[in-house]
């Protein structure tokens, strides 16, 4: 099928390259000309394992193109995916500016086109936004009618950064929220090679499934961190407890890794947005608020443990291993490392940091930090492990003070080793 993808970020690129790898003809649209030029040469603006290799292949086969010209891309597409960002505003609600702009551009492009594409919102939008914002803007700018002249679906993504392509090719389910049967049928045809349940539902339900999924996963993490904080006081290893509860298939062993909390561009943003939605309709989401509150304070527990072994860090060299919010990505958005490094600098520590992928990005926020190799980081008065990069399992921790936020068992050979929840 002919697909256009509006927005060449993590989701847009993984989705576009994924569908192109399956033989569809994909045009990826982005307003950033430099990004588009790099994509044409097979250069990615993000680090995502396997994505570069797949992009090269689909470019060579001519299944993937990149452009800044949305109207030419949209004109003969069967399906138009909106994959632009929906960042958090200070009050926790989401900023729909990019969604509105994409809707306007698509409406303008559809005005003079003869085709009847299905517009699919893949961006994470609050329940009601597709039908309340995207549809009216496209209708106003195109002079056409949703359902009659173009189709509408909402198709949430469940891609994890660092695993985006494998999650694209192996979804647990495909959720299709449809304005009408035809729209859903067209989109289901695109997914017909996927071996997983396809859930057809309403648009608002699909929007809520995305938020509820991320909120549940975030809740599971804050839950195991709470259990971990209790276990720490009782001298129990929460990872052993997690093994025991995870054998119950209703709980499952996944997402029970206690540590310094969740970061990234999704969990914090989506839980805050759901809280904001609930409050707007007069409901007090106590559980979701405690999930966020616990996550806000979890990273600083590492510094409480450091204080036990080093009461005053002023002037002391503190080494930090890992800056990204998780391994196999270069993304530092809402990473626990930001809170921890900010507090260390505030307390007068001399911070030395290493991360395989994120030092350039982190430097923009913390220019005062000394960025160096992992071995140089280990030449510090104490070492904090903030991201579980595989390479940290091969370092020599002998004779060091290590405070571990992400369960690198090999670090237990240190002279002093403390785990945040174990
Ligand atoms: C998440 C969802 O998993 C994905 O389905 C959705 O589409 C986007 O948001 P992502 O944020 O990329 O994906 O990464 P994920 O692997 O879910 O980790 C999120 C955060 O939770 C990371 O900071 C990670 O360190 C933390 N985490 C994850 C834990 O602390 N413990 C766990 O057991 C799992």
């Amino acid at each position: 099928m002919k697909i256009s993808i509006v927005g060449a970020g993590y989701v847009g690129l993984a989705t576009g390259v994924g569908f192109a790898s399956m033989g569809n003809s994909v045009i990826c649209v982005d307003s950033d000309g430099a990004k588009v030029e790099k994509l044409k040469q097979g250069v990615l603006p993000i680090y995502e394992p396997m994505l570069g290799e797949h992009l090269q292949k689909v470019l060579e086969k001519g299944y993937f193109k990149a452009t800044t010209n949305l109207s030419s891309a949209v004109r003969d597409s069967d399906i138009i995916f909106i994959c632009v960002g929906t960042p958090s505003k200070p009050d926790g609600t989401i900023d729909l500016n990019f969604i509105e702009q994409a809707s306007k551009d698509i409406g303008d492009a559809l005005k003079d086109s003869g085709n009847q594409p299905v517009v699919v919102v893949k961006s994470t939008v609050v329940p009601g936004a597709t039908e309340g914002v995207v549809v009216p803007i496209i209708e106003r700018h195109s002079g056409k009618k949703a359902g009659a002249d173009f189709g509408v679906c909402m198709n949430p993504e469940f891609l994890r950064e660092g695993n985006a392509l494998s999650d694209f090719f192996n979804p647990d389910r495909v959720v299709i929220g449809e304005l009408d049967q035809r729209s859903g049928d067209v989109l289901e045809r695109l997914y017909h090679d996927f071996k997983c349940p396809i859930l057809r539902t309403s648009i608002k339900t699909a929007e809520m499934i995305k938020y509820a999924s991320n909120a549940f996963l975030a809740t599971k993490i804050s839950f195991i961190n709470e259990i971990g904080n209790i276990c720490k006081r009782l001298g129990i290893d929460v990872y052993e407890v997690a093994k025991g509860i995870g054998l119950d298939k209703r709980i499952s062993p996944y997402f029970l890794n206690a540590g310094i909390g969740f970061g990234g561009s999704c969990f914090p943003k989506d839980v805050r947005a759901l809280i904001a939605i609930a409050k707007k309709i007069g409901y007090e989401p106590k559980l979701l608020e405690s999930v966020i509150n616990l996550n806000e304070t979890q990273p600083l527990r590492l510094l409480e443990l450091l204080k036990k072994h080093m009461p005053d860090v002023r002037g002391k060299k503190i080494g930090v291993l890992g800056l990204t919010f998780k391994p196999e990505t270069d993304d530092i958005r809402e990473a626990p490392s930001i809170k921890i490094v900010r507090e260390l600098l505030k307390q007068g520590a001399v911070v030395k940091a290493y991360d395989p992928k994120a030092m350039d990005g982190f430097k923009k926020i913390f220019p005062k930090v000394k960025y160096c190799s992992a071995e140089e980081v280990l030449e510090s008065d104490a070492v904090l492990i903030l991201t579980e990069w595989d390479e940290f399992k091969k370092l020599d921790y002998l004779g060091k003070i290590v405070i571990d936020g992400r369960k690198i068992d090999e670090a237990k050979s240190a002279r002093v080793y403390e785990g945040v929840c174990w």
Side-chain angles (χ1 to χ4, degrees):
M1 293 175 93
K2 289 186 197 146
I3 299 169
S4 40
I5 304 270
V6 180
Y10 279 98
V11 174
L13 285 171
T15 303
V17 169
F19 279 127
S21 306
M22 298 176 80
N24 297 286
S25 154
V26 175
I27 304 185
C28 199
V29 183
D30 199 285
S31 53
D32 179 339
K35 186 194 276 191
V36 165
E37 282 317 304
K38 283 200 179 132
L39 282 172
K40 286 177 178 172
Q41 292 144 34
V43 177
L44 284 170
I46 54 171
Y47 171 68
E48 181 61 46
M50 301 307 293
L51 193 56
E53 295 84 337
H54 276 79
L55 173 62
Q56 206 58 52
K57 273 196 211 119
V58 292
L59 281 169
E60 280 156 16
K61 289 183 181 165
Y63 286 148
F64 184 94
K65 292 185 174 62
T67 179
T68 54
N69 183 338
L70 183 138
S71 53
S72 67
V74 153
R75 194 147 298 134
D76 60 354
S77 291
D78 304 310
I79 294 178
I80 304 162
F81 280 102
I82 299 179
C83 298
V84 295
T86 53
S88 274
K89 291 200 278 197
D91 65 356
T93 59
I94 59 166
D95 180 343
L96 287 171
N97 277 333
F98 297 119
I99 289 281
E100 288 162 3
Q101 188 55 55
S103 305
K104 284 176 192 151
D105 296 344
I106 291 168
D108 292 340
L110 288 183
K111 195 161 48 191
D112 323 318
S113 77
N115 69 329
Q116 292 194 324
V118 176
V119 178
V120 182
V121 175
K122 188 167 271 291
S123 303
T124 301
V125 293
V126 294
T130 299
E131 289 160 293
V133 175
V134 175
V135 170
I137 290 176
I138 295 179
E139 288 184 325
R140 201 165 50 249
H141 281 255
S142 64
K144 298 192 170 177
K145 189 86 188 89
D149 305 313
F150 63 92
V152 184
C153 283
M154 198 274 157
N155 172 225
E157 51 84 16
F158 302 103
L159 308 179
R160 292 166 296 162
E161 283 183 28
N163 303 73
L165 267 190
S166 63
D167 286 348
F168 172 84
F169 288 119
N170 311 288
D172 290 334
R173 76 302 203 188
V174 171
V175 172
I176 296 177
E178 58 199 40
L179 182 73
D180 55 31
Q181 172 92 29
R182 181 192 85 88
S183 304
D185 290 347
V186 170
L187 188 56
E188 183 161 359
R189 241 191 343 273
L190 177 64
Y191 282 102
H192 77 282
D193 284 338
F194 285 74
K195 311 266 178 297
C196 68
I198 294 188
L199 175 72
R200 302 271 296 256
T201 185
S202 73
I203 286 181
K204 262 205 287 209
T205 306
E207 290 164 331
M208 179 50 96
I209 287 171
K210 170 65 183 174
Y211 277 97
S213 294
N214 273 6
F216 179 80
L217 292 169
T219 301
K220 202 170 177 184
I221 295 168
S222 281
F223 168 79
I224 200 64
N225 284 341
E226 178 116 292
I227 298 296
N229 295 338
I230 298 166
C231 284
K232 180 71 183 174
R233 281 161 174 65
L234 295 171
I236 299 168
D237 181 346
V238 70
Y239 275 72
E240 287 304 297
V241 173
K243 259 191 221 134
I245 64 173
L247 289 168
D248 182 324
K249 59 178 168 305
R250 295 169 303 172
I251 297 174
S252 99
Y254 307 108
F255 270 67
L256 287 176
N257 299 332
I260 46 176
F262 57 82
S265 64
C266 297
F267 285 170
K269 166 175 85 79
D270 293 351
V271 177
R272 287 191 200 114
L274 199 45
I275 290 169
I277 297 162
K279 287 185 168 177
K280 197 169 156 198
I281 55 175
Y283 175 80
E284 193 52 44
K286 297 184 189 65
L287 175 65
L288 295 176
E289 285 186 317
S290 59
V291 166
I292 282 287
N293 294 339
L294 193 144
N295 195 62
E296 294 286 313
T297 54
Q298 195 65 10
L300 298 181
R301 289 183 181 281
L302 210 67
L303 298 183
E304 286 164 22
L305 286 173
L306 175 62
K307 212 171 180 69
K308 260 173 57 181
H309 303 279
M310 190 179 284
D312 183 1
V313 296
R314 185 166 302 286
K316 291 281 194 321
K317 285 202 287 297
I318 306 296
V320 167
L321 288 174
L323 299 171
T324 51
F325 81 97
K326 62 182 278 197
E328 294 312 317
T329 180
D330 59 357
D331 200 343
I332 58 170
R333 286 177 287 182
E334 305 250 4
S337 57
I338 293 174
K339 272 197 186 79
I340 291 170
V341 169
R342 182 171 290 128
E343 185 57 28
L344 284 170
L345 292 172
K346 207 166 112 191
Q347 294 178 14
V350 176
V351 179
K352 298 163 71 179
Y354 168 75
D355 184 283
K357 292 288 173 191
M359 292 196 281
D360 290 345
F362 212 77
K363 212 172 275 178
K364 294 185 186 115
I365 314 175
F366 296 106
K368 277 198 201 143
V369 166
K370 182 178 180 336
Y371 299 91
C372 49
S373 69
E375 288 69 22
E376 285 172 290
V377 164
L378 286 168
E379 293 313 310
S380 301
D381 298 312
V383 177
L384 309 182
I385 301 176
L386 307 186
T387 313
E388 65 278 25
W389 284 97
D390 262 350
E391 61 186 82
F392 296 165
K393 295 173 182 165
K394 303 171 189 101
L395 297 175
D396 177 6
Y397 296 97
L398 278 177
K400 312 294 178 192
I401 296 178
V402 174
I403 315 291
D404 186 2
R406 293 291 189 197
K407 200 78 171 40
I408 298 285
D409 285 331
E410 291 74 6
K412 287 178 177 167
S413 60
R415 175 169 62 83
V416 173
Y417 174 88
E418 281 257 26
V420 66
C421 290
W422 51 87

